[in-house]
Amino acid sequence: MVDLLWFVLTLILLAAETVVLVLLLVLRWKTPRTDTRETRTEYLQPNYNEVAGFRLAAYPDNEIIIPQRCWLIESEVAEVDFVIVPGRAMSLRVARSGTMREPTDLTVNGYERTEEYEIDGLTVTQKQNTGRYTSISWTRDGFDYILYSQKPEMNMVSGLAVPFITNTRAEET
């Protein structure tokens, strides 16, 4: 009789554990991931037509603004990392309008200041935190652009906004 009671209790506990496990799996499956990792693929050139269907046709490339690495993020957002002489870094993200993924490092703490102005006939939005993250975003010909730096020098991003906005073009392939 005691053995039968232990057997029934064990079955009840196993059934309860199974229900809890199934609920956890179902809830985890339906809960969107908050993982901040991005899937990145490095390219030799900013030509993503096979996967994303577009390429960067033009971008700054001179003795001060030097492209270093080209990425495709989550198969839809292009990113080019630039070295800004002397020894600074900036990145440019490009995606079809409405599919842009802002860098999570930039949006974690929000921005202290946001302003809008016009460059080359486009409305440009600049967001920044004093001495920290700065970004400039704009839209042109069906593509969204974000130029950002995580460790900008004073007014570096603002000073480089014009060459990036006027000289950067993405195109469908």
Side-chain angles (χ1 to χ4, degrees), residues 10 16 36 49-50 61 76 87 101 118 123 125 130 152 158 165:
T10 304
T36 58
N49 29 336
E50 287 185 21
D61 183 0
E76 63 185 8
R101 295 171 180 266
E118 193 171 298
T123 300
T125 303
T130 306
S158 300
I165 292 168

Coordinates of all heavy atoms in Angstrom, one line a residue, residues 10 16 36 49-50 61 76 87 101 118 123 125 130 152 158 165:
T10 N 4.8 9.9 -7.2 CA 5.9 10.1 -8.2 C 5.3 10.4 -9.6 O 5.8 11.3 -10.3 CB 6.8 8.9 -8.3 OG1 7.3 8.6 -7.0 CG2 7.9 9.0 -9.3
A16 N 3.4 17.0 -13.1 CA 3.5 18.5 -12.8 C 4.7 19.0 -13.5 O 4.7 20.1 -14.1 CB 3.4 18.7 -11.3
T36 N 20.9 41.0 -27.8 CA 21.4 42.2 -28.6 C 22.4 41.8 -29.6 O 22.9 42.7 -30.3 CB 22.0 43.3 -27.6 OG1 23.1 42.6 -26.9 CG2 21.0 43.8 -26.7
N49 N 24.1 42.6 -53.2 CA 23.0 42.3 -54.1 C 22.5 40.8 -54.0 O 21.3 40.5 -54.1 CB 23.2 42.6 -55.5 CG 24.6 42.6 -56.0 OD1 25.5 42.8 -55.2 ND2 24.8 42.5 -57.3
E50 N 23.4 39.9 -53.8 CA 23.0 38.5 -53.7 C 22.0 38.2 -52.5 O 21.1 37.4 -52.6 CB 24.2 37.5 -53.7 CG 24.9 37.5 -55.0 CD 26.0 36.4 -55.0 OE1 26.0 35.5 -54.2 OE2 26.9 36.6 -55.9
D61 N 35.5 58.3 -49.6 CA 36.7 57.5 -49.5 C 37.8 58.5 -50.0 O 38.0 58.7 -51.2 CB 36.6 56.3 -50.5 CG 37.8 55.4 -50.4 OD1 38.8 55.7 -49.7 OD2 37.8 54.4 -51.2
E76 N 20.0 42.3 -44.0 CA 19.2 43.4 -44.6 C 19.8 44.8 -44.3 O 19.4 45.8 -45.0 CB 17.8 43.4 -44.1 CG 17.6 43.5 -42.6 CD 16.2 43.4 -42.2 OE1 15.3 42.9 -43.0 OE2 15.9 43.6 -41.0
G87 N 43.0 58.8 -36.2 CA 42.7 57.8 -35.2 C 41.3 57.8 -34.6 O 41.1 57.4 -33.5
R101 N 17.9 48.9 -38.6 CA 18.1 48.5 -37.2 C 19.2 49.5 -36.6 O 20.3 49.4 -37.0 CB 18.7 47.1 -37.1 CG 17.8 46.0 -37.6 CD 18.5 44.7 -37.8 NE 17.7 43.7 -38.3 CZ 17.0 42.8 -37.5 NH1 17.1 42.9 -36.2 NH2 16.2 41.9 -38.0
E118 N 18.6 70.8 -42.2 CA 18.6 70.4 -43.6 C 20.0 70.4 -44.2 O 20.8 71.3 -44.0 CB 17.7 71.3 -44.4 CG 17.4 70.8 -45.8 CD 16.3 71.6 -46.5 OE1 15.2 71.6 -46.0 OE2 16.6 72.1 -47.6
T123 N 16.1 66.3 -44.8 CA 16.0 66.5 -43.4 C 16.8 65.6 -42.7 O 16.7 64.3 -42.9 CB 14.5 66.4 -42.9 OG1 13.7 67.3 -43.6 CG2 14.4 66.6 -41.4
T125 N 18.4 64.2 -39.0 CA 18.2 64.2 -37.5 C 19.5 63.8 -36.8 O 20.1 62.8 -37.1 CB 17.1 63.1 -37.2 OG1 15.9 63.4 -37.9 CG2 16.8 63.2 -35.7
T130 N 26.5 64.1 -24.7 CA 27.7 64.8 -24.6 C 28.9 63.9 -24.4 O 28.9 63.1 -23.4 CB 27.6 65.8 -23.4 OG1 26.4 66.6 -23.6 CG2 28.8 66.7 -23.3
P152 N 33.0 59.9 -30.4 CA 33.3 61.0 -31.3 C 34.2 62.1 -30.6 O 34.1 62.3 -29.4 CB 31.9 61.6 -31.6 CG 31.1 61.3 -30.4 CD 31.6 60.0 -29.9
S158 N 29.2 66.0 -36.8 CA 28.5 67.1 -37.5 C 29.4 67.6 -38.6 O 28.9 68.0 -39.7 CB 28.3 68.3 -36.5 OG 27.4 67.9 -35.4
I165 N 26.4 62.8 -46.3 CA 25.1 62.9 -46.8 C 25.1 63.2 -48.3 O 24.3 62.7 -49.1 CB 24.3 64.0 -46.0 CG1 24.1 63.4 -44.6 CG2 23.0 64.3 -46.7 CD1 23.6 64.5 -43.6

